[in-house]
């Protein structure tokens, strides 16, 4: 009798086991949902806490600026006796005070900006330290600040920043040197144009041309120097084009005849197309027969000088 019922008992046991397994799976699913829900609540709480922290920080800085602003404006109106203002800048707030002065200085120029440099001078060393030891974002911000509020000793830091391993920091240093100290540091920037390969040629050319006519001799030398990288020479050609340097057109036939780099040839054709004269048409027309479509298109546009 028992042997007859054994298959039924076995089936019943298997059914119970399957129910237990389903219950275990269900419990695991419920537990997983519970863990995910808890993690979501934690992240939501962190977001709220960060938001509240940012609000408190903004309120703190706004309160500090309300204390500094009238005194800074009074100092600009009558620049003497900054000690009272300096005494109101606590040690932990000195770096933010510099950043505040930077924002104010960006709206000023000339004598008023120099007055702000004097206000920043006791604390500017903190920015110089960030320019050398901070992370890439801190170094970039420090370079921008030093270009506006830096002291004479800060110049060496900006020059060293040209070789910073961060391309952004190097570019900001180049812009700062060219904008603040003009053509004196143009050769140093041109030597490092390979650092800015991710920046557009037109952007760099515009930055170089922003110096003005005093940059022309150095740019001409760079453009005509066959030992330099083609991209550096192409950037120099575009900058000379923006500066309408008619004398540089005489260098273009030799470049068109001897070089093979597409970017350099295209920039040279843009230059001669802007400042060239009819005697340069022979070199231009030879470029109209090359197989490269980009070069040929630039040559066709440049050949319009015959209509002048």
């Amino acid at each position: 009798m028992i042997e007859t019922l054994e298959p039924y008992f076995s089936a019943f046991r298997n059914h119970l086991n399957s129910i237990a397994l389903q219950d275990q799976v269900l419990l695991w699913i419920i537990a997983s949902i519970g863990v995910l829900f808890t993690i979501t609540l934690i992240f939501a709480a962190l977001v709220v806490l960060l938001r509240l922290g940012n609000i408190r920080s903004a309120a703190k800085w706004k309160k500090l600026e309300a204390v500094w602003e009238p005194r800074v404006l009074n100092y600009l109106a009558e620049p003497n006796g900054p000690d009272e203002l300096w005494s109101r800048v606590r040690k932990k707030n000195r770096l933010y005070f510099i950043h505040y002065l930077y924002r104010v200085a960006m709206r000023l120029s000339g004598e008023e900006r120099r007055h702000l440099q004097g206000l920043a001078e006791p604390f500017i060393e903190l920015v110089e330290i960030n320019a050398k030891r901070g992370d890439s974002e801190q170094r970039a911000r420090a370079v921008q600040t030093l270009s506006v509020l830096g002291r004479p000793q800060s110049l060496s830091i900006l020059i060293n920043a040209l070789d910073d391993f961060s391309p952004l920091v190097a570019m900001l240093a180049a812009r700062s040197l060219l904008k603040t100290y003009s053509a004196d540091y143009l050769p140093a920037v041109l030597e490092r144009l390979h650092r800015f390969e991710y920046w557009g040629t037109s952007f760099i050319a515009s930055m170089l041309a922003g110096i003005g006519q005093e940059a022309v001799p150095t740019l001409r030398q760079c453009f005509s120097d066959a030992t330099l990288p083609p991209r550096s020479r192409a950037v120099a050609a575009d900058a000379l084009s923006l500066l309408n340097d008619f004398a540089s057109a005489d260098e273009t036939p030799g470049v068109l005849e001897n070089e093979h780099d597409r970017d350099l040839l295209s920039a040279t054709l843009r230059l001669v197309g802007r400042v060239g004269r009819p005697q340069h048409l022979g070199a231009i027309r030879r470029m109209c027969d090359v197989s490269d479509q980009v070069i040929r298109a630039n040559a066709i546009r440049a050949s319009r000088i015959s209509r002048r």
Side-chain angles (χ1 to χ4, degrees), residues 3 53 77 94 113 188 222 243 250 270 288:
E3 292 178 354
R94 289 175 178 175
R113 181 175 286 191
C222 177
L243 291 168
D250 293 332
R270 288 193 293 270
C288 294

Side-chain angles (χ1 to χ4, degrees), residues 68-78 85 100 104 108 119:
W68 295 335
E69 183 174 12
R71 290 169 173 82
V72 169
L73 294 177
N74 288 338
Y75 179 79
L76 290 175
E78 190 175 351
L85 175 55
Y100 167 71
V104 176
L108 303 174
L119 274 182

Side-chain angles (χ1 to χ4, degrees), residues 35-49:
V35 170
L36 291 174
F37 181 71
T38 302
I39 293 174
T40 302
L41 288 178
I42 292 173
F43 275 112
L46 288 174
V47 170
V48 171
L49 290 175

Side-chain angles (χ1 to χ4, degrees), residues 224-229 233:
S224 60
D225 190 346
T227 64
L228 294 178
R233 299 174 67 191

Side-chain angles (χ1 to χ4, degrees), residues 225-275:
D225 190 346
T227 64
L228 294 178
R231 186 172 185 269
S232 299
R233 299 174 67 191
V235 170
D238 281 336
L240 290 168
S241 180
L242 291 172
L243 291 168
N244 292 313
D245 180 46
F246 288 90
S248 62
D250 293 332
E251 299 288 340
T252 58
V255 175
L256 293 176
E257 181 178 353
N258 299 314
E259 300 298 335
H260 305 283
D261 182 80
R262 171 195 276 185
D263 291 337
L264 175 56
L265 291 174
S266 297
T268 302
L269 287 166
R270 288 193 293 270
L271 173 61
V272 71
R274 187 178 183 94
V275 300

